[in-house]
Amino acid sequence: MKYDLNNLTLEEKIELLTGADNWRTSSSNGKLRQVFMSDGPNGLRMQNADGSTKKATAMPNLSVVAQTWDEELAYLDGETIANDCIDNGADVLLAPGVNVKRTPLNGRNFEYLSEDPYLAGVMARAYIRGVQSKGVGTSLKHYCANNREVYRFTQTSEVDERALHEIYLKPFEIATQAEPWTVMCSYNPVNGVYASENRKLLKDTLRDKFGYKGLIVSDWGAVHEPYKSLRATLDLCMPHNGDYAQNVKTALENGYISMKDIDFCVQNVLNLIETVENAEKTVNYTKEERHANALKIAEGGMVLLKNEDEILPLKDGKKYLVAGYLAKNPLLGGGGSAFVQTDYPVSPLCDLLKDAMPDSDFEFSSVPVQAWEMPNELDLQRAKYNYLIAREKDAVILYVGDPNESECYDRSSIRLHPGYERLIKEVARYNENVIVLLNVGSAVDMSEWIDDVKAVLLVGYAGEAINEAAAAILSGKTNPSGKLAETFPLCLEDTYTGDEVGDGFVEWYSDGVFVGYRHYDRYGIDVLFPFGYGLSYSKFKYDNLKIEKKGDAEYEVSYDITNVSDTDGAEVSQIYVKDIFSMVVRPEKELRAFNKSVIKAGETKRITVKLGYDAFAYYSTVYDAWHVENGPFEIWVGASSADIRLKGTVEVELPDDGQQSQI
Ligand code: GLC
């Protein structure tokens, strides 16, 4: 260790435990290098002195990265953002956010990954490895159970132990395998104690159970009583807190905390400083290559949800209307600390399509309805002019979205703005071939208009390359391969929480482990588009399932996927495990592995995945540990959570002394 905490005075030690300012650690009277932290998950978000945001590559938001189901792309995403961090002097990137998407109303779903803890954890782990491979640190956040923006500073998330471990902690448990340099605690209380003061969460679980050796930092302003946070082993209070030193000194004098407590946290800060100093920062992409990476990820993360009559890809020799304000001004990402300011000139979709398909005719119509205004009668009159144009076309590409997804507040509805719903239905009256592009950050209830349109492409908040990726998919240059990482319900009322937001004091997570597809499965609720769903221009056949036992609870699952179409493509296959008989209530099935493979036209690929103890385990509140019950389990291989193609059964037989008595 280069820095010995014994060379620091008590004042210097305590000063080290809170920021020097909004973004840097203390220098302890110039003795130490300051660590510079900066947002955010979708690209570097660093503020200038005047409050403006530095320019950086606007990457696809993490919701789109998750829809790639491709760990290599998540790694590439992290690497690329690290390049911008290095260019601008950031040592630690305050990302990724892995909070589970418990409700589609959450304002920050765009910057989170999934409703499924395994997918969220695996993709975050790859992202962290990507960022840190370039010598930049990360901050895995927000630990934990921060699943809404409303009341986020005060409302307790009341969560039972199983749901906590199986759903809300699981992404952190998996992602800490990548050894993030920091973990950020959330604002909210968990089971009645602020996350920043919750020793059971920070020390007993994150550090002792998960084996986390790095630094724990507060969310900005999440520390209420500094000495209580310190006692819970929260190492670094951000941003600078002027009351911190006195509060800790008084607590030390009163015996509420010890020098051992202080030194433990000081050592973690010194370790971070040394990690930063020893890190070899390496830029490996030019600005152009960073944009190319953004495009590659966007193309891999867009999801084709509907394609009736195979209207997509677009055909040569046809006439198309490209309509909608967003076709020229797409939403690259959501608002708040995850906002990224790019200087990349996003091309209008219509121009890109003209370049991609010179043998077809594309006309742009701004259509007077703005993204978020209820069209007045004048608008609709003027719009009628556009509808008459629409009627003369072979198809209409309608670009719609929701500009209101942001940190600090939640969505009030999961439907598109009424103006957009009316626009879609009006245009569909004049042309039966409507293709909708959805520029949104989270699930949308499309029931009002989905039957009026022929195709829906979820472009998402796909960053600065959004229109290039959309044009590549629409023109057929790229075959869509993304799949949903969250369920799209038929309506908000079908979700567990509906429009419930809690009372500002406590939100009881009475859904337990039944979150996302686990909820819809348990209650037999139909959905619009299921978790793991996404169409391709190819068709894939699954067969020849083989399951080999490799240990007590270790199996190798292999199966063939054949591309039975004439178009090269990529397929995401998903492995779900079902506990046929259990002494505790369990979800019908749970995602336990997945694979994305490129499969050429006519090609058959043999896919092999491994299932270990984790794949069969639930969290036992008796043993306060993960536990597998002996007995039969089904292994399901699916193209989505609702499209199970192959099934097999295994009999898990662990040593009997580890089993409780069976009835
Ligand atoms: C914000 C966010 C957190 C962000 C931090 C710094 O309140 O909750 O995600 O990294 O403050 O901007």
Side-chain angles (χ1 to χ4, degrees):
M1 278 302 296
K2 177 179 172 185
Y3 296 117
D4 182 343
L5 60 79
N6 298 313
N7 296 336
L8 298 175
T9 65
L10 174 61
E11 281 67 25
E12 287 166 347
K13 286 182 180 179
I14 294 174
E15 184 194 326
L16 205 50
L17 301 180
T18 185
D21 54 32
N22 244 0
W23 305 107
R24 288 174 183 78
T25 60
S26 164
S27 71
S28 278
N29 292 326
K31 292 181 181 175
L32 300 169
R33 182 203 197 281
Q34 290 181 288
V35 173
F36 186 12
M37 302 177 156
S38 191
D39 290 306
N42 308 322
L44 179 71
R45 177 262 196 170
M46 184 181 284
Q47 291 173 314
N48 294 311
D50 65 3
S52 63
T53 304
K54 286 187 188 301
K55 303 290 189 291
T57 308
M59 300 300 287
N61 285 204
L62 282 187
S63 45
V64 176
V65 176
Q67 290 168 178
T68 69
W69 292 66
D70 185 333
E71 291 180 68
E72 289 178 12
L73 289 183
Y75 185 97
L76 178 68
D77 187 33
E79 262 196 312
T80 307
I81 299 172
N83 274 252
D84 275 341
C85 289
I86 296 166
D87 285 352
N88 290 277
D91 300 312
V92 175
L93 179 69
L94 299 172
V98 293
N99 295 98
V100 162
K101 302 185 182 186
R102 176 170 180 254
T103 164
L105 287 176
N106 183 14
R108 294 183 84 169
N109 277 346
F110 68 90
E111 63 171 289
Y112 296 154
L113 291 153
S114 178
E115 70 187 31
D116 178 83
Y118 175 78
L119 179 61
V122 168
M123 296 300 278
R125 182 179 61 192
Y127 175 101
I128 290 165
R129 285 171 175 157
V131 175
Q132 296 186 171
S133 71
K134 295 290 156 296
V136 176
T138 54
S139 194
L140 178 60
K141 68 187 186 180
H142 306 87
Y143 185 80
C144 71
N146 175 189
N147 307 100
R148 292 183 189 280
E149 286 303 284
V150 67
Y151 304 133
R152 67 172 171 161
F153 300 114
T154 58
Q155 181 163 276
T156 273
S157 298
E158 179 86 31
V159 194
D160 67 71
E161 277 298 289
R162 277 196 61 200
L164 206 48
H165 282 273
E166 294 186 26
I167 304 294
Y168 302 102
L169 290 171
K170 193 64 183 173
F172 292 91
E173 183 176 9
I174 294 171
T176 45
Q177 293 165 9
E179 298 179 355
W181 292 3
T182 76
V183 169
M184 183 191 294
C185 83
S186 60
Y187 287 117
N188 54 287
V190 180
N191 294 330
V193 176
Y194 280 110
S196 61
E197 300 175 2
N198 200 312
R199 187 177 171 89
K200 182 174 181 184
L201 277 182
L202 304 183
K203 170 88 173 53
D204 304 348
T205 305
L206 181 59
R207 295 188 190 281
D208 298 348
K209 263 191 192 299
F210 298 173
Y212 179 63
K213 299 281 185 289
L215 175 134
I216 303 176
V217 61
S218 71
D219 199 342
W220 265 234
V223 168
H224 297 265
E225 187 71 75
Y227 82 88
K228 289 180 183 173
S229 291
L230 193 149
R231 199 166 56 189
T233 76
L234 182 123
D235 303 304
L236 180 62
C237 164
M238 290 301 287
H240 173 73
N241 179 329
D243 301 329
Y244 191 94
Q246 191 51 55
N247 180 284
V248 167
K249 273 187 206 147
T250 304
L252 185 63
E253 286 152 14
N254 295 342
Y256 298 157
I257 55 171
S258 67
M259 269 316 297
K260 185 168 174 282
D261 297 325
I262 291 173
D263 286 348
F264 176 83
C265 294
V266 169
Q267 191 57 61
N268 285 331
V269 178
L270 294 176
N271 293 346
L272 175 66
I273 294 168
E274 189 143 354
T275 301
V276 168
E277 280 196 330
N278 295 339
E280 193 185 324
K281 287 186 163 70
T282 45
V283 169
N284 63 329
Y285 295 119
T286 64
K287 189 174 167 61
E288 292 68 27
E289 287 166 336
R290 294 171 207 178
H291 177 79
N293 293 346
L295 174 55
K296 186 177 179 185
I297 296 165
E299 287 179 329
M302 291 186 174
V303 184
L304 183 58
L305 295 173
K306 182 176 183 182
N307 192 18
E308 201 173 302
D309 303 340
E310 298 193 334
I311 191 171
L312 290 177
L314 303 176
K315 309 299 183 285
D316 285 335
K318 298 291 185 184
K319 293 189 292 182
Y320 295 102
L321 180 68
V322 179
Y325 169 83
L326 295 174
K328 284 182 85 170
N329 310 280
L331 302 162
L332 310 187
S337 60
F339 169 77
V340 181
Q341 180 61 61
T342 181
D343 56 4
Y344 183 79
V346 178
S347 300
L349 178 64
C350 192
D351 296 352
L352 291 165
L353 287 170
K354 284 177 180 171
D355 294 345
M357 301 181 73
D359 296 338
S360 285
D361 175 73
F362 295 92
E363 182 178 351
F364 174 67
S365 156
S366 70
V367 179
V369 175
Q370 294 299 333
W372 42 92
E373 285 162 11
M374 187 61 188
N376 58 36
E377 282 323 306
L378 174 62
D379 281 339
L380 288 176
Q381 285 313 317
R382 283 172 25 216
K384 277 198 186 336
Y385 165 68
N386 292 284
Y387 301 156
L388 297 176
I389 298 174
R391 190 167 55 187
E392 304 310 314
K393 303 294 181 180
D394 294 297
V396 180
I397 299 160
L398 198 44
Y399 214 123
V400 297
D402 177 357
N404 296 317
E405 299 185 48
S406 172
E407 179 183 351
C408 294
Y409 53 87
D410 291 328
R411 300 160 80 192
S412 54
S413 160
I414 62 170
R415 291 176 59 169
L416 290 177
H417 188 284
Y420 265 137
E421 291 191 334
R422 278 180 67 180
L423 181 65
I424 294 169
K425 292 178 77 69
E426 285 285 328
V427 170
R429 285 178 51 217
Y430 288 83
N431 190 309
E432 64 177 5
N433 295 322
V434 175
I435 298 157
V436 170
L437 267 55
L438 265 184
N439 189 192
V440 295
S442 188
V444 169
D445 163 6
M446 307 178 210
S447 44
E448 182 63 25
W449 50 267
I450 186 76
D451 296 334
D452 298 318
V453 304
K454 284 280 179 67
V456 178
L457 175 64
L458 174 65
V459 296
Y461 283 169
E464 64 184 46
I466 182 170
N467 277 357
E468 291 155 272
I473 289 175
L474 291 173
S475 66
K477 176 173 160 289
T478 296
N479 189 350
S481 61
K483 295 204 173 180
L484 293 180
E486 67 172 299
T487 304
F488 276 43
L490 283 166
C491 61
L492 182 62
E493 293 65 34
D494 285 350
T495 65
Y496 182 81
T497 51
D499 58 4
E500 267 302 304
V501 293
D503 58 7
F505 297 99
V506 181
E507 178 171 18
W508 179 33
Y509 282 35
S510 52
D511 38 348
V513 297
F514 300 101
V515 174
Y517 64 86
R518 292 170 169 85
H519 160 68
Y520 301 108
D521 284 347
R522 177 163 179 81
Y523 299 106
I525 300 170
D526 289 337
V527 299
L528 179 61
F529 297 114
F531 173 80
Y533 172 86
L535 298 175
S536 164
Y537 296 147
S538 305
K539 295 276 179 283
F540 298 102
K541 182 166 69 76
Y542 291 53
D543 51 23
N544 300 330
L545 173 64
K546 185 178 172 192
I547 303 173
E548 282 183 82
K549 189 177 179 69
K550 298 289 185 184
D552 285 345
E554 312 281 334
Y555 293 87
E556 200 169 82
V557 180
S558 53
Y559 50 94
D560 287 341
I561 299 184
T562 303
N563 181 342
V564 295
S565 76
D566 57 5
T567 309
D568 296 350
E571 173 68 344
V572 175
S573 49
Q574 302 145 46
I575 290 80
Y576 296 89
V577 173
K578 174 185 176 59
D579 189 348
I580 295 174
F581 172 74
S582 167
M583 299 277 276
V584 293
V585 68
R586 297 194 70 177
E588 180 196 67
K589 60 177 181 287
E590 300 185 274
L591 180 74
R592 293 308 198 210
F594 61 87
N595 171 282
K596 184 168 196 174
S597 292
V598 174
I599 307 175
K600 292 188 179 310
E603 182 190 12
T604 294
K605 241 184 198 166
R606 185 87 182 147
I607 311 295
T608 300
V609 295
K610 295 186 189 312
L611 295 178
Y613 189 90
D614 285 358
F616 304 94
Y618 70 86
Y619 191 82
S620 163
T621 54
V622 172
Y623 302 116
D624 196 18
W626 290 93
H627 179 73
V628 174
E629 286 179 6
N630 284 341
F633 288 81
E634 281 190 17
I635 312 293
W636 294 359
V637 181
S640 84
S641 60
D643 180 5
I644 303 301
R645 303 289 182 84
L646 303 169
K647 286 189 176 183
T649 304
V650 297
E651 187 73 23
V652 172
E653 290 167 303
L654 292 157
D656 190 55
D657 64 351
Q659 297 288 308
Q660 72 278 12
S661 54
Q662 297 285 352
I663 48 174

